[in-house]
Amino acid sequence: MWRDTVLVAGKDLRIELRSRVVLNQVVPVAVIMLVLFAFALGPDDAPLVQAAPGLFWVAVLFASVLAVQRSVVVESSDGARDGLRLSGLDPAGVFLGKVAAVAVQLVALEVVLSAGVVVLYGAHVRSLGALVVSCLAGTAGLAAAGTLYGALAAGMRARETLLPFLFLPVAAPVLLAGTRAWQVAMGTAAASPGDPWLRLLVVFAVVYLALGVVVFGPLQEAS
Amino acid sequence: MAPAVLLRAAVCVTGRFPALAGVDLTVAQGEVVVLEGPNGAGKTSLLRACAGLLPVSGGEAVVLGCDLRRDRSAVRRRVGMLGHAAALYDDLTVVENVRFAARAARCAPQDAEAALERLELSGRVRRTAVGRLSAGQRRRVALAVLVARRPELWLLDEPHAGLDRATRAILGDLVAEAVTSGATVLMASHEPEESLPLADRAVSLVGGRVIAERAVRTVPTAALTAVGRAGAGGAHVA
């Protein structure tokens, strides 16, 4: 399974390096969202700093829809999905490989957006470690859930519009927990004992990774 | 020796209608069988069912010893299919596509190189993104992917479509070589002048059923290739 994971992740990342869809389209869209939020909330720093964690995760959430859609499209064109099914690759390995590729792209996006939040919103980071850990856990959860719902929507006619409809409500816990974890890391909210929001992010990621490993194969067959 | 393909009253339903409505077909190992019939006869569905891509909902279906009604995925690593779509990644180069397929099928890197060489995909073409190739070249790359995977059962859907004369000749040689190495070939074709010279038997489908079959070659391909292609001059169309 792990061999197949590396193979599929390498293939998807190589495709992204060549096509640069995420770099040239998704990243600019996410940055534009940050800029528009800044316009909407006015020139004062205070409301922007307060809202920065939530705006960051909203931008990541919408960008993750685009990244997952791209991951689905790669397998949908020119019968590639049939090729993947005939390849003999372990479906669990395919799932984890696609999750890894989407996650790597999202992490790169989050680095850019984090810099944008600091520069545009004037936010200060109090705990870089907590910020990074919450980003990694939230990203793993978004990539896993997105890939799973991407596979579910792949066989349907209106998959482009169906994916956000299915995925965004499910990803709400990541938005909530990620925002709370970032508020703590930025010092705009007090830390709770036991880091419950960070735990929620980790549990979400583990649940969707486990679920995807089990059901991705049957979903591929059904689509 | 168990047959490579054994279908008994096999039924496949796509949507509301049966694509295969009780197909009976046995293909021996090392045999080359051509499927004939009008559009919508069920040729592609039959190939997709044998590849484990289409569920068999009725009858009996055993391919390479795998019961397709129990586990379709088991057979997939052992078959190679050239379908209407090339099933390639446009943003990857020719060599990357072929290497990916070979590695996924647990074949050696040398198999990918040999397939590229066999299909005469060398020089600049190797490093060209598949999305920039012509339809015929894409077809040739898809054929290289199939060869690199070294399948036991070749499923070819209109394999001559879009190929130039030189590649058609290579395809003929590849089919003969595959049979020599013990593989079985099942191909759907609308071009009898190209496909029948490669075949041992022709099977006609209409409305998802086999309505007729006839021997095309008096000596099976496997026997002919065993003594060399030079001896194949005795083949004739029945």
Side-chain angles (χ1 to χ4, degrees):
Chain A
M1 181 178 79
W2 299 114
R3 180 189 169 282
D4 293 349
T5 300
V6 172
L7 192 60
V8 172
K11 182 261 294 174
D12 277 13
L13 287 173
R14 189 169 284 130
I15 287 173
E16 169 51 27
L17 279 174
R18 296 275 158 70
S19 64
R20 297 186 178 180
V21 169
V22 170
L23 185 69
N24 292 343
Q25 293 174 25
V26 180
V27 171
V29 165
V31 171
I32 287 169
M33 282 174 73
L34 280 190
V35 174
L36 291 177
F37 286 144
F39 282 140
L41 291 175
D44 294 338
D45 276 355
L48 281 174
V49 170
Q50 195 65 34
L55 299 181
F56 169 86
W57 281 102
V58 167
V60 170
L61 196 59
F62 281 102
S64 65
V65 173
L66 299 177
V68 167
Q69 268 177 339
R70 171 65 183 159
S71 175
V72 172
V73 165
V74 161
E75 303 301 345
S76 304
S77 59
D78 197 24
R81 199 183 312 148
D82 276 353
L84 201 61
R85 288 166 71 192
L86 281 174
S87 67
L89 291 167
D90 182 353
V94 174
F95 170 74
L96 291 175
K98 295 196 84 64
V99 169
V102 170
V104 167
Q105 294 167 45
L106 287 180
V107 165
L109 170 83
E110 285 162 9
V111 170
V112 175
L113 288 182
S114 301
V117 163
V118 170
V119 173
L120 289 173
Y121 297 172
H124 298 284
V125 179
R126 298 280 167 82
S127 171
L128 187 62
L131 205 76
V132 170
V133 172
S134 61
C135 266
L136 292 177
T139 302
L142 287 178
T147 303
L148 192 58
Y149 283 96
L152 185 67
M156 300 180 186
R157 284 179 189 171
R159 61 172 174 263
E160 289 84 2
T161 48
L162 196 62
L163 177 62
F165 180 72
L166 293 171
F167 171 58
L168 289 176
V170 169
V174 175
L175 178 66
L176 181 67
T179 301
R180 295 289 183 271
W182 264 53
Q183 283 174 337
V184 172
M186 289 183 157
T188 55
S192 305
D195 291 325
W197 300 113
L198 195 55
R199 285 185 179 190
L200 177 58
L201 287 174
V202 172
V203 167
F204 185 92
V206 170
V207 165
Y208 271 97
L209 283 170
L211 196 62
V213 165
V214 174
V215 306
F216 190 77
L219 277 178
Q220 264 192 320
E221 293 302 315
S223 64
Chain B
M1 195 160 53
V5 176
L6 176 67
L7 303 177
R8 292 268 180 272
V11 175
C12 287
V13 179
T14 52
R16 291 180 183 177
F17 306 103
L20 300 180
V23 168
D24 292 301
L25 177 67
T26 303
V27 181
Q29 283 184 29
E31 196 177 14
V32 181
V33 173
V34 168
L35 302 174
E36 300 173 317
N39 291 333
K43 303 185 296 294
T44 299
S45 297
L46 178 53
L47 295 178
R48 288 177 62 80
C50 289
L53 292 173
L54 198 62
V56 178
S57 53
E60 186 184 353
V62 180
V63 173
L64 301 174
C66 303
D67 187 343
L68 296 184
R69 294 197 65 188
R70 286 188 183 173
D71 183 11
R72 285 186 287 147
S73 61
V75 78
R76 288 182 189 153
R77 191 172 288 174
R78 299 169 62 191
V79 306
M81 182 162 180
L82 182 70
H84 291 291
L88 300 168
Y89 297 102
D90 282 357
D91 293 308
L92 296 184
T93 64
V94 168
V95 67
E96 286 167 346
N97 267 287
V98 178
R99 279 183 186 162
F100 175 75
R103 289 181 67 190
R106 270 70 171 165
C107 291
Q110 297 91 306
D111 292 325
E113 291 302 319
L116 287 163
E117 202 171 305
R118 193 71 190 79
L119 269 298
E120 297 175 2
L121 293 163
S122 55
R124 191 189 291 176
V125 179
R126 276 171 62 103
R127 298 184 300 277
T128 304
V130 163
R132 292 183 178 181
L133 298 179
S134 69
Q137 285 176 312
R138 291 169 66 88
R139 198 83 173 144
R140 197 191 283 202
V141 178
L143 202 49
V145 164
L146 186 148
V147 172
R149 297 182 68 229
R150 301 168 64 97
E152 295 169 54
L153 174 62
W154 290 40
L155 301 166
L156 309 175
D157 197 358
E158 302 292 351
H160 299 97
L163 295 183
D164 57 26
R165 187 148 293 282
T167 313
R168 287 179 180 214
I170 293 173
L171 174 63
D173 291 342
L174 286 172
V175 167
E177 289 164 18
V179 172
T180 306
S181 64
T184 307
V185 180
L186 190 55
M187 85 173 89
S189 179
H190 282 297
E191 297 181 66
E193 68 280 6
E194 296 285 353
S195 58
L196 290 181
L198 306 174
D200 298 314
R201 196 153 50 98
V203 173
S204 298
L205 278 93
V206 172
R209 284 194 176 88
V210 173
I211 58 158
E213 55 182 282
R214 67 188 195 280
V216 173
R217 220 189 276 277
T218 49
V219 182
T221 307
L224 282 174
T225 50
V227 294
R229 290 289 288 168
H236 69 276
V237 176

